[in-house]
Amino acid sequence: MSKAFSRRRFLTAAAALAGGAAVLAAYKYKPLSALTTAEPSARLPYYPPALLGLRGNHEGSQTFTHALAIHEKVFTLPEKAEETYDLVVVGAGVSGLSAAYRFLQKQPEAKILIVDNHDDFGGHAKRTEFTVNNQTVITYGGSESLDSPKNNFSEEVHFLLKDLGVDYVRLGEHFQQDLYHGKWKLNSGILFNQATFGQDKLVVLNDNEELNADNADSIENFPISEEAKRALTLLYTEPSDYLSGKSKTEKHDFAETTSYYDFLANTVKLPEEALSFLSDLSSDYWGHTIRAVSVSEALESGYPGVSELGLEEDESEEEPYIYHFPDGNASIARLLVRKLIPGAISGSTMEDIVTAKADYSMLDNPENQVRLRLNTTAIRIDNQADSVSVYYMTQGQKQLHQIQARKCIFAGHGALAPHIIPSMPEEQKTAMKSNVKIPMLYAKVALKNARAFQKLGIFKLYMPTSAYCLLQLDDPVNIGDYQHAATADDPIVVHMSGIPAVREGDTAREMYRSGRRLLNTKNYEQLEQEALGILRTLFDMAGENLDETLAGIAIHRWAHGYSYEQVGLWDSDEEAEAATALMRRPVGNIHMAGSDVAWMPYLQNAIGEGLRAAHEAAA
Ligand SMILES: Cc1cc2nc3c(=O)[nH]c(=O)nc-3n(C[C@H](O)[C@H](O)[C@H](O)COP(=O)(O)OP(=O)(O)OC[C@H]3O[C@@H](n4cnc5c(N)ncnc54)[C@H](O)[C@@H]3O)c2cc1C
């Protein structure tokens, strides 16, 4: 989720191979050496943040969940429980970890087990470490920053963060806001691609902002027709009331029910090339193209062409997007694990968490009061009279296990819950399945230096209709002992964000589902080609050699990324409230957490729902 400095490997189908070949040609793919993938080694200590290649939903992480949800596999359940706990938490994301922590505070003697199907804890809040020239370069693989903590965080969330030692104001001060534009003299830009615009062309804007009325003279350099340039310039510099003649109520209704894309295409009558340019304005932040954004939401997001329609504007204060740890919100997950499992992560402050190495051998130690079991998928949860039975599979093992607990908190993927909790009432199952998550890709490329970017004069690119819509040098944060690149000669990470390119569908859910199908047709090599192909184009433009500069690549594939969030065009407030109220209902001794049950893809919701579920379970 990136608003920058302002607001807001498997089966390869033949069809996908054909599509992949087109991408190959377009991006001049050159295969990588083993340098860019790191496999777990039996000789090295278990340390997932250092694993590269396919991360996020890495290989094997979805085997058992897909067996249940897609193939409807029926498992033979063991009759005897091997372990007993007071609480079992399913899902070691920020929500599950917050829930476990609050439960422990309320019941300090409680024995707790947390399970997660991934090889690392944190859920979407994942940390990746590169080693470049003997230096550790840290980045985030998913959940990036605290989004608007002043306005959007509840008292409870603030309280928890304070308890963890997080002071968001101080965190914001570690963000080097003047580094790229001020010190390195770099600007924002736009990278046009040959497939849509007839040529690969970089247009550098004359400031560090996105395209706006003040820098719209750059449109002159766009590789689009003169007619499209004129229309786009007008849209940015002299928007008019394209809805004149309609009453205030009619305008409001139009803005709520019409997509920004349809408005631009049918009301403003923008030429096709101008529409292509604007199509991904919303993709990085919202996870969908402007076909799923209403005119009202376009106004709220500050998109061009809607300011003079006479619509009421949202007056809420904007907060800068600077509340960021180098590994993103993985630091919050790590701070929680530090509290839950003493000795697993050394230190005591929000500064020293950044460079502290987690000792993964401590996580599932039988001596612990709280145990965290990775690579472990809960495949069924059954209520008993005063307890729950949780059945799980651990990757690499053949047999199922049963554990018993007084309580269970489900903080996993919401739409999976109906398959795991068969006793859930049907109407609640339907509500859970309404949370169709957004497929996303975060490619992280470590470079020995940023000289190519310095030569091009850019640090951040909007890349409409490309496999990745956003490319930027990593958020510049110096915190504790961790120093971000000070000059363009230092190692740095390039962040690329991609939303599988599904442009059409009758609803946002259909777009997300077909985006996921598209994503699932691509193997790791294709994802890597797409990311490196874009970088190669830029390096060629700069006259620099990517192969000599490349130090590593990790692609975080989030087939189920952002939680579903109410989409104005298709969901009413009443529907959202009814669905989330049902999703939050406990099922016997099983309590529901996770940001999914709030239909909200933000850290604050993950924490808030975790705390609420813990209060219920510990009552
Ligand atoms: C790419 C990306 C960027 C984001 N950026 C931001 C951001 O900048 N700011 C922000 O506030 N939010 C951001 N988010 C939203 C993010 O989802 C939340 O911030 C938060 O991390 C969600 O936490 P969670 O615990 O609810 O869910 P998750 O992080 O999804 O954790 C749930 C965990 O449970 C596991 N699980 C599910 N089912 C089972 C099972 N049956 N057995 C065992 N384990 C299971 C899952 O695999 C997962 O590891 C981003 C999300 C993504 C994908």
Side-chain angles (χ1 to χ4, degrees), residues 30 35 112 124 135 198 224 248 290 308 339 495 575 608:
K30 194 162 173 217
L35 167 80
I112 302 176
H124 291 153
Q135 187 181 325
I224 56 177
K248 211 169 172 184
I290 59 169
E308 303 304 313
K339 288 273 192 195
H495 167 81
E575 282 166 321

Side-chain angles (χ1 to χ4, degrees), residues 335-483:
L335 284 163
L336 282 159
V337 170
R338 181 188 258 174
K339 288 273 192 195
L340 287 164
I341 309 177
I345 309 181
S346 63
S348 60
T349 68
M350 75 166 195
E351 278 81 14
D352 65 26
I353 193 71
V354 174
T355 46
K357 293 266 179 199
D359 179 352
Y360 283 79
S361 70
M362 295 278 294
L363 298 185
D364 193 15
N365 187 337
E367 315 272 295
N368 294 355
Q369 188 181 348
V370 178
R371 297 175 70 170
L372 205 169
R373 194 163 296 166
L374 297 170
N375 299 303
T376 296
T377 307
I379 54 120
R380 182 166 169 137
I381 311 170
D382 284 338
N383 271 302
Q384 310 296 350
D386 306 313
S387 62
V388 282
S389 300
V390 180
Y391 303 88
Y392 73 85
M393 286 290 286
T394 294
Q395 228 180 302
Q397 294 183 3
K398 289 210 166 75
Q399 77 274 35
L400 263 160
H401 302 274
Q402 187 201 141
I403 38 186
Q404 288 243 324
R406 281 196 292 114
K407 295 281 184 174
C408 176
I409 291 178
F410 183 87
H413 174 191
L416 195 66
H419 302 277
I420 296 182
I421 312 171
S423 59
M424 181 179 276
E426 286 307 316
E427 60 171 355
Q428 189 171 0
K429 285 184 178 172
T430 305
M432 297 302 286
K433 289 180 181 172
S434 70
N435 195 312
V436 180
K437 290 162 81 86
I438 303 181
M440 302 166 73
L441 285 166
Y442 271 14
K444 317 297 293 196
V445 186
L447 300 176
K448 293 175 189 159
N449 59 67
R451 284 179 216 135
F453 289 85
Q454 197 169 47
K455 278 191 179 175
L456 295 171
I458 45 120
F459 72 98
K460 183 180 168 208
L461 288 175
Y462 168 57
M463 307 188 297
T465 77
S466 185
Y468 290 85
C469 54
L470 171 90
L471 180 154
Q472 61 184 21
L473 297 180
D474 219 343
D475 292 337
V477 175
N478 293 340
I479 178 169
D481 293 337
Y482 189 74
Q483 297 292 302

Side-chain angles (χ1 to χ4, degrees), residues 1 91 94-95 116-118 124 143-145 321 378 420 595 601 603:
M1 212 178 265
V94 167
S95 196
D116 198 283
N117 55 336
H118 289 91
H124 291 153
S143 193
E144 179 177 345
S145 304
Y321 208 58
I420 296 182
S595 65
L603 174 104

Side-chain angles (χ1 to χ4, degrees), residues 83-259:
E83 298 168 273
T84 55
Y85 292 91
D86 294 297
L87 174 71
V88 172
V89 177
V90 175
V94 167
S95 196
L97 294 170
S98 303
Y101 183 47
R102 180 50 50 87
F103 190 91
L104 190 64
Q105 286 176 317
K106 293 191 80 80
Q107 298 192 9
E109 306 297 320
K111 271 186 67 186
I112 302 176
L113 174 70
I114 309 163
V115 297
D116 198 283
N117 55 336
H118 289 91
D119 60 13
D120 201 354
F121 58 81
H124 291 153
K126 280 284 183 323
R127 170 181 176 105
T128 285
E129 291 179 18
F130 294 99
T131 303
V132 189
N133 299 340
N134 291 322
Q135 187 181 325
T136 302
V137 184
I138 302 170
T139 191
Y140 59 97
S143 193
E144 179 177 345
S145 304
L146 307 183
D147 191 337
S148 309
K150 187 171 166 220
N151 293 319
N152 292 352
F153 286 20
S154 68
E155 231 169 86
E156 271 229 294
V157 173
H158 277 299
F159 187 79
L160 178 92
L161 291 176
K162 200 169 168 206
D163 187 8
L164 296 178
V166 177
D167 174 343
Y168 77 85
V169 175
R170 205 168 81 231
L171 180 61
E173 289 165 6
H174 295 302
F175 197 108
Q176 310 296 299
Q177 292 192 64
D178 65 338
L179 185 76
Y180 295 137
H181 187 59
K183 292 194 177 135
W184 294 15
K185 311 281 177 229
L186 305 182
N187 289 327
S188 300
I190 298 152
L191 183 64
F192 293 88
N193 65 65
Q194 185 168 20
T196 304
F197 299 99
Q199 55 178 293
D200 292 328
K201 183 167 184 185
L202 174 68
V203 174
V204 182
L205 301 175
N206 57 18
D207 59 32
N208 62 341
E209 299 291 332
E210 286 155 12
L211 187 68
N212 59 58
D214 295 332
N215 59 21
D217 51 345
S218 306
I219 294 172
E220 197 48 45
N221 302 322
F222 286 11
I224 56 177
S225 66
E226 290 305 318
E227 182 202 357
K229 286 182 191 175
R230 264 194 307 277
L232 210 47
T233 304
L234 270 178
L235 188 81
Y236 273 93
T237 59
E238 293 175 51
S240 60
D241 181 2
Y242 305 99
L243 301 179
S244 69
K246 287 190 191 297
S247 70
K248 211 169 172 184
T249 310
E250 287 170 333
K251 284 183 173 184
H252 172 82
D253 292 347
F254 176 93
E256 292 287 310
T257 56
T258 309
S259 80

